[in-house]
Amino acid sequence: MPQPSPPFALAIDAMGGDAAPEVVLDGLELAAERHPDARFLLVGDEARVGGALARRKRAARACSLRHAPDYIPGDMKPTAALRVRASSMRVAIDAVAQGEASGIVSAGNTGALMALSKIVIKTMREIDRPALAAIGPSARGDVVLLDLGANVQCDARNLVEFAVMGDAFARAVLGLTNPSIGLLNVGSEELKGDDRVRAAAETLRDSHIGGNFRGFVEGHDITAGTTDVIVTDGFTGNVALKTGEGALKLMRDLLRQVFTSSVPARLGYLLARPALDRLREWMDPRRYNGAILIGLNGVVVKSHGGTDALGFAHAVDVAMDMVTHGFNERIREGLSRLSTSGPRIAADPH
């Protein structure tokens, strides 16, 4: 017998982020326009949120406000955040764990969100460890990268599970029917890499997603767009993410220097402005706002704390795509097929 749908699509942490609750509410105003039938559970201090919510008509119609008197500061350690049971983040997470909402979006403390989600919402029974995933730009479209820091050390089983979760994510959020998958390595040759990477590759080749598995990929493949889903451990993934963010910032700074260096350069900017505007829109970090903790019994999306309303709305869009397209059910189906398509790799006891 099918289970009834939760009354709320998402729980929203109204107090998380550098400019909360204003940016959160502005983002929900945009999100409510994009998802007119969705219902959101907005959690925060009624005194600070209630009046501001009433001034945003679309958001007010889409949201039910639940009072939470406390919030988790950005510099609070996860261990301390676990003890703040009346925080907006904790109350929103509790709503997901209790089945009131299908997921949560928060721009608050990343470490606290990850720790609370793992403990309260809990990891899916079929998953050894959840992973942190995100979407980024490439020369051929969007690319999914995971893990981005949730697991600094990973064994072969973790990498295989990340690949299955990344496949499900690309299908649900990017709308790809057959996403290609690659394992990030120091070379594309089969003998490259350590034992865990080679063991994971062998399992993936024999799995139900083996037809879409490209084997090993290198760092340049991330931006080249040769592969839709790139899988790695959290240490390498986080380094790759921060390197990419730094490269984008460097490119923007260099372009600014070039086009302001002289009068002819400024004239050149005026001629090139339409193309540069398209480039700016394509590379806009707000389009890629929203890191996703996948492998939990609910959707968990972390918005950047310093984003604006458009960026927060995009994080809500990502979470809504995951809810609407049954993301967790896709993961369970993929892991079920993995277990029947060949021997599973046991987790490393060390």
Side-chain angles (χ1 to χ4, degrees), residues 64-245:
S64 294
L65 178 59
R66 179 168 298 174
H67 180 57
D70 300 325
Y71 76 100
I72 295 174
D75 58 353
M76 179 177 284
K77 293 182 178 179
T79 51
L82 293 172
R83 297 191 291 270
V84 188
R85 293 185 174 272
S87 71
S88 56
M89 182 185 291
R90 176 59 184 266
V91 173
I93 288 174
D94 284 343
V96 179
Q98 294 161 9
E100 286 188 89
S102 296
I104 174 178
V105 179
S106 174
N109 184 311
T110 302
L113 180 66
M114 291 175 61
L116 282 167
S117 297
K118 289 179 183 179
I119 291 172
V120 179
I121 300 176
K122 296 183 171 52
T123 304
M124 294 169 61
R125 182 174 56 84
E126 300 87 348
I127 291 288
D128 182 46
R129 298 180 186 178
L132 195 63
I135 304 169
S138 80
R140 300 184 183 179
D142 293 338
V143 60
V144 178
L145 183 64
L146 73 165
D147 176 32
L148 296 177
N151 308 281
V152 174
Q153 293 181 327
C154 299
D155 58 25
R157 172 184 172 182
N158 300 142
L159 295 175
V160 170
E161 291 179 349
F162 295 168
V164 173
M165 292 190 288
D167 174 77
F169 181 79
R171 293 172 187 269
V173 177
L174 299 185
L176 301 178
T177 54
N178 289 294
S180 57
I181 301 164
L183 280 174
L184 192 61
N185 202 350
V186 294
S188 58
E189 298 84 356
E190 290 189 10
L191 295 179
K192 289 291 182 72
D194 54 25
D195 291 342
R196 67 194 176 95
V197 175
R198 293 198 299 271
E202 183 178 350
T203 298
L204 288 171
R205 289 190 188 97
D206 295 333
S207 73
H208 67 285
I209 57 176
N212 296 329
F213 180 57
R214 292 190 67 251
F216 297 139
V217 296
E218 300 180 64
H220 61 80
D221 288 295
I222 299 174
T223 52
T226 60
T227 309
D228 299 315
V229 179
I230 296 184
V231 178
T232 187
D233 60 79
F235 181 91
T236 307
N238 191 266
V239 171
L241 174 68
K242 299 298 174 57
T243 302
E245 290 175 344

Side-chain angles (χ1 to χ4, degrees), residues 248-331:
L248 288 176
K249 183 179 184 301
L250 174 63
M251 184 180 71
R252 291 195 298 267
D253 291 345
L254 289 176
L255 284 173
R256 187 179 299 109
Q257 291 178 29
V258 166
F259 284 115
T260 58
S261 60
S262 65
V263 172
R266 291 188 178 93
L267 293 174
Y269 168 75
L270 293 176
L271 294 174
R273 184 170 180 175
L276 291 172
D277 286 344
R278 289 196 298 272
L279 177 63
R280 185 183 297 111
E281 181 180 353
W282 180 52
M283 304 297 287
D284 189 342
R286 296 175 298 180
R287 289 186 59 229
Y288 304 98
N289 181 48
I292 306 94
L293 191 60
I294 57 180
L296 301 174
N297 291 307
V299 169
V300 178
V301 174
K302 169 64 176 71
S303 169
H304 194 286
T307 193
D308 62 8
L310 185 61
F312 191 85
H314 185 271
V316 174
D317 288 343
V318 170
M320 285 297 299
D321 282 341
M322 295 171 71
V323 169
T324 302
H325 293 96
F327 174 67
N328 279 353
E329 288 72 20
R330 288 176 182 261
I331 290 179

Side-chain angles (χ1 to χ4, degrees), residues 8 39-43 53 59-60 62-66:
F8 301 104
R39 293 285 301 161
F40 303 107
L41 177 63
L42 184 64
V43 184
L53 177 62
C63 292
S64 294
L65 178 59
R66 179 168 298 174

Side-chain angles (χ1 to χ4, degrees), residues 43-55:
V43 184
D45 183 355
E46 286 183 354
R48 292 184 60 187
V49 177
L53 177 62
R55 294 192 295 272

